[in-house]
Amino acid sequence: MKRRVLGKQSAVRSTVTGYNNNLKTAVLLESTLEVDYYRMMEFTLPEGATLEMQPEHIELIIDGKRIRYTPDAKITMPDGRIIMIEIKYEKDIHKPNIRQKLIKAKWKYASMGFQFDVMTEREIRKGHQAENFSHLLAALHHDKPVDAFHLLVSDLPTQQYSIKEMIEIAFSKGMSESIVKISMAHMLFQWDTTLAWSDIRLSF
């Protein structure tokens, strides 16, 4: 499929546009749920994977009519697998017309050798995940601090700390507290993204 020219699918929905340096892609997002999904992918896509929002459409036959269907996202994994993503609110996915379209799209993509997944707020906004990623967004724009991270955690007696404790450790080693957030953003720490900020434990 050729790369799609970015354009609104809806004439009435508001949009968010931009360019992401980490994913090396321009984006056009048409709902706050899409914004939260895209932000989640910035943090969680495996290294070497690519993300394209609103990729090229396909044609589906529904009730004898040919319609254009554009998924919300396309992920190409490092091993070459392609996953097409539809982003929908939970309340909408069981509506008969939408459910029929999603089933047809799943069959069509399966015939093309692609996986097709539907993502709802249940996965995208699980617990405090969306809030945490929003809080760390600026930190993600820094390079991955591998050397500084190893210096930060070297010689620590245990392997699990609160964010506050880790910031205090950074200060004791003459480092900025920002190194903790940047390391979290780049997933150098292991941490539960769904917990409230004050409950997060950082392990390594």
Side-chain angles (χ1 to χ4, degrees):
M1 293 184 290
K2 66 181 181 178
R3 187 173 180 83
R4 180 176 182 267
V5 175
L6 292 180
K8 289 170 65 68
Q9 295 188 64
S10 168
V12 295
R13 286 189 294 180
S14 61
T15 60
V16 174
T17 60
Y19 181 83
N20 181 268
N21 288 322
N22 295 304
L23 299 176
K24 301 294 189 272
T25 183
V27 292
L28 187 151
L29 309 170
E30 294 192 336
S31 73
T32 57
L33 190 60
E34 286 185 26
V35 171
D36 287 342
Y37 169 80
Y38 182 76
R39 190 166 290 166
M40 179 177 73
M41 289 296 99
E42 289 186 272
F43 287 90
T44 60
L45 269 185
E47 191 168 345
T50 62
L51 174 68
E52 180 183 349
M53 300 301 292
Q54 295 191 19
E56 183 68 13
H57 73 273
I58 58 174
E59 291 190 343
L60 302 175
I61 305 297
I62 298 180
D63 295 332
K65 297 180 181 178
R66 189 179 299 273
I67 67 164
R68 288 162 59 106
Y69 168 73
T70 303
D72 292 306
K74 173 185 177 181
I75 299 171
T76 304
M77 299 297 284
D79 61 6
R81 288 183 299 118
I82 293 177
I83 307 170
M84 312 305 292
I85 302 292
E86 175 69 25
I87 300 166
K88 277 281 185 288
Y89 285 98
E90 189 79 21
K91 64 181 177 60
D92 293 328
I93 60 175
H94 300 296
K95 294 178 180 179
N97 60 324
I98 293 177
R99 181 171 176 79
Q100 184 182 26
K101 182 170 66 174
L102 296 179
I103 290 172
K104 290 280 189 177
K106 188 177 184 70
W107 290 348
K108 177 73 172 183
Y109 283 124
S111 72
M112 300 165 67
F114 299 165
Q115 182 178 331
F116 179 74
D117 292 335
V118 178
M119 300 287 289
T120 71
E121 69 272 23
R122 181 176 298 185
E123 297 85 21
I124 297 170
R125 294 174 176 166
K126 185 177 181 181
H128 296 268
Q129 181 168 265
E131 302 162 37
N132 291 334
F133 288 157
S134 178
H135 187 64
L136 290 172
L137 191 60
L140 187 65
H141 297 157
H142 294 267
D143 292 336
K144 184 182 289 189
V146 177
D147 292 340
F149 171 76
H150 288 309
L151 178 61
L152 175 64
V153 301
S154 64
D155 303 322
L156 294 184
T158 60
Q159 291 188 309
Q160 190 176 88
Y161 297 85
S162 70
I163 296 174
K164 181 180 179 181
E165 289 170 333
M166 190 58 69
I167 288 174
E168 291 172 350
I169 291 168
F171 283 147
S172 73
K173 294 190 175 188
M175 307 171 74
S176 168
E177 69 174 273
S178 64
I179 194 63
V180 177
K181 289 185 178 181
I182 297 170
S183 295
M184 289 177 66
H186 285 282
M187 298 300 173
L188 292 175
F189 288 113
Q190 298 167 28
W191 58 285
D192 188 338
T193 63
T194 68
L195 292 179
W197 189 258
S198 60
D199 295 331
I200 291 172
R201 305 293 292 181
L202 305 176
S203 58
F204 49 93

